[in-house]
mmCIF file of all heavy atoms in Angstrom:
data_model
loop_
_atom_site.group_PDB
_atom_site.id
_atom_site.type_symbol
_atom_site.label_atom_id
_atom_site.label_comp_id
_atom_site.label_asym_id
_atom_site.label_seq_id
_atom_site.Cartn_x
_atom_site.Cartn_y
_atom_site.Cartn_z
ATOM 1 N N THR A 98 97.280 34.903 141.729
ATOM 2 C CA THR A 98 96.957 33.803 142.627
ATOM 3 C C THR A 98 96.475 32.608 141.830
ATOM 4 O O THR A 98 96.041 32.744 140.677
ATOM 5 C CB THR A 98 95.857 34.183 143.638
ATOM 6 O OG1 THR A 98 94.661 34.534 142.914
ATOM 7 C CG2 THR A 98 96.277 35.345 144.517
ATOM 8 N N ILE A 99 96.571 31.449 142.457
ATOM 9 C CA ILE A 99 96.047 30.227 141.855
ATOM 10 C C ILE A 99 95.411 29.403 142.962
ATOM 11 O O ILE A 99 95.991 29.232 144.035
ATOM 12 C CB ILE A 99 97.144 29.447 141.098
ATOM 13 C CG1 ILE A 99 96.534 28.277 140.333
ATOM 14 C CG2 ILE A 99 98.250 28.982 142.043
ATOM 15 C CD1 ILE A 99 97.480 27.684 139.289
ATOM 16 N N THR A 100 94.201 28.935 142.704
ATOM 17 C CA THR A 100 93.492 28.183 143.729
ATOM 18 C C THR A 100 93.881 26.714 143.698
ATOM 19 O O THR A 100 94.576 26.251 142.790
ATOM 20 C CB THR A 100 91.975 28.295 143.541
ATOM 21 O OG1 THR A 100 91.613 27.589 142.334
ATOM 22 C CG2 THR A 100 91.543 29.749 143.435
ATOM 23 N N ARG A 101 93.367 25.992 144.678
ATOM 24 C CA ARG A 101 93.663 24.569 144.778
ATOM 25 C C ARG A 101 93.195 23.806 143.536
ATOM 26 O O ARG A 101 93.805 22.822 143.136
ATOM 27 C CB ARG A 101 93.014 24.009 146.043
ATOM 28 C CG ARG A 101 93.343 22.558 146.355
ATOM 29 C CD ARG A 101 92.913 22.214 147.781
ATOM 30 N NE ARG A 101 91.514 22.529 148.010
ATOM 31 C CZ ARG A 101 90.533 21.688 147.733
ATOM 32 N NH1 ARG A 101 90.778 20.521 147.189
ATOM 33 N NH2 ARG A 101 89.281 22.027 147.990
ATOM 34 N N ILE A 102 92.127 24.306 142.934
ATOM 35 C CA ILE A 102 91.621 23.605 141.745
ATOM 36 C C ILE A 102 92.233 24.165 140.461
ATOM 37 O O ILE A 102 91.846 23.767 139.366
ATOM 38 C CB ILE A 102 90.083 23.674 141.667
ATOM 39 C CG1 ILE A 102 89.596 25.125 141.570
ATOM 40 C CG2 ILE A 102 89.458 22.958 142.852
ATOM 41 C CD1 ILE A 102 88.103 25.236 141.289
ATOM 42 N N GLY A 103 93.173 25.106 140.607
ATOM 43 C CA GLY A 103 93.908 25.574 139.435
ATOM 44 C C GLY A 103 93.375 26.822 138.764
ATOM 45 O O GLY A 103 93.827 27.181 137.677
ATOM 46 N N SER A 104 92.453 27.500 139.412
ATOM 47 C CA SER A 104 91.908 28.727 138.839
ATOM 48 C C SER A 104 92.861 29.888 139.125
ATOM 49 O O SER A 104 93.218 30.137 140.278
ATOM 50 C CB SER A 104 90.529 29.014 139.438
ATOM 51 O OG SER A 104 90.013 30.225 138.943
ATOM 52 N N ALA A 105 93.254 30.598 138.080
ATOM 53 C CA ALA A 105 94.232 31.684 138.219
ATOM 54 C C ALA A 105 93.554 33.043 138.171
ATOM 55 O O ALA A 105 92.536 33.229 137.502
ATOM 56 C CB ALA A 105 95.277 31.587 137.117
ATOM 57 N N ASN A 106 94.151 33.973 138.896
ATOM 58 C CA ASN A 106 93.660 35.345 138.920
ATOM 59 C C ASN A 106 94.863 36.278 138.881
ATOM 60 O O ASN A 106 95.891 35.985 139.497
ATOM 61 C CB ASN A 106 92.843 35.589 140.194
ATOM 62 C CG ASN A 106 92.273 36.994 140.255
ATOM 63 O OD1 ASN A 106 91.581 37.422 139.356
ATOM 64 N ND2 ASN A 106 92.590 37.707 141.315
ATOM 65 N N TYR A 107 94.727 37.379 138.145
ATOM 66 C CA TYR A 107 95.846 38.289 137.976
ATOM 67 C C TYR A 107 95.461 39.721 138.310
ATOM 68 O O TYR A 107 94.331 40.145 138.065
ATOM 69 C CB TYR A 107 96.345 38.254 136.525
ATOM 70 C CG TYR A 107 96.831 36.904 136.083
ATOM 71 C CD1 TYR A 107 95.991 36.014 135.418
ATOM 72 C CD2 TYR A 107 98.143 36.503 136.340
ATOM 73 C CE1 TYR A 107 96.434 34.761 135.030
ATOM 74 C CE2 TYR A 107 98.596 35.260 135.946
ATOM 75 C CZ TYR A 107 97.740 34.393 135.294
ATOM 76 O OH TYR A 107 98.185 33.152 134.907
ATOM 77 N N ALA A 108 96.430 40.452 138.837
ATOM 78 C CA ALA A 108 96.228 41.886 139.018
ATOM 79 C C ALA A 108 96.096 42.523 137.643
ATOM 80 O O ALA A 108 96.793 42.124 136.699
ATOM 81 C CB ALA A 108 97.401 42.490 139.769
ATOM 82 N N ASP A 109 95.216 43.499 137.533
ATOM 83 C CA ASP A 109 94.991 44.134 136.236
ATOM 84 C C ASP A 109 96.291 44.678 135.640
ATOM 85 O O ASP A 109 96.510 44.599 134.429
ATOM 86 C CB ASP A 109 93.975 45.278 136.376
ATOM 87 C CG ASP A 109 92.567 44.764 136.597
ATOM 88 O OD1 ASP A 109 92.318 43.576 136.307
ATOM 89 O OD2 ASP A 109 91.718 45.540 137.060
ATOM 90 N N SER A 110 97.150 45.193 136.484
ATOM 91 C CA SER A 110 98.390 45.801 135.999
ATOM 92 C C SER A 110 99.376 44.777 135.451
ATOM 93 O O SER A 110 100.320 45.130 134.750
ATOM 94 C CB SER A 110 99.060 46.585 137.132
ATOM 95 O OG SER A 110 99.394 45.717 138.197
#
Side-chain angles (χ1 to χ4, degrees):
T98 61
I99 187 165
T100 68
R101 185 167 54 87
I102 61 172
S104 177
N106 182 55
Y107 299 94
D109 288 342
S110 61

